């Protein structure tokens, strides 16, 4: 089972929330949310690549498949 587009959808909602924070003049909140979002997205990307490398090294992942 695979879930596709979840990170993209969550990022769109987060971006909307940051926009609302700016619109109501909560720039500090918007800045903190932006920094937290970047940190989480970088961390999740690193974990995703690490798991893919580990699965490939175990022979569970075909590099030609769109897994």
């Amino acid at each position: 089972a695979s879930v596709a587009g979840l990170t993209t959808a969550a990022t769109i909602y987060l971006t909307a929330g940051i926009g609302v924070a700016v619109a109501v003049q909560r720039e500090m909140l918007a800045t903190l949310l932006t920094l937290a979002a970047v940190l989480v997205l970088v961390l999740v990307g690193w974990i995703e690549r690490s798991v893919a490398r580990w699965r490939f090294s175990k022979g569970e992942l075909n590099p030609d498949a769109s897994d």
Side-chain angles (χ1 to χ4, degrees):
S2 177
V3 177
L6 187 60
T7 305
T8 303
T11 303
I12 290 170
Y13 278 112
L14 179 61
T15 303
I18 293 169
V20 169
V22 171
V24 296
Q25 299 176 351
R26 299 292 303 262
E27 290 87 4
M28 182 59 75
L29 176 62
T31 301
L32 292 174
L33 285 173
T34 301
L35 293 174
V38 168
L39 177 68
V40 167
L41 289 171
V42 167
L43 183 62
V44 167
W46 179 80
I47 291 170
E48 186 177 16
R49 286 187 302 276
S50 296
V51 168
R53 279 194 299 267
W54 178 77
R55 287 181 63 198
F56 180 72
S57 71
K58 297 288 185 184
E60 297 176 12
L61 187 62
N62 181 357
D64 296 328
S66 60
D67 205 14

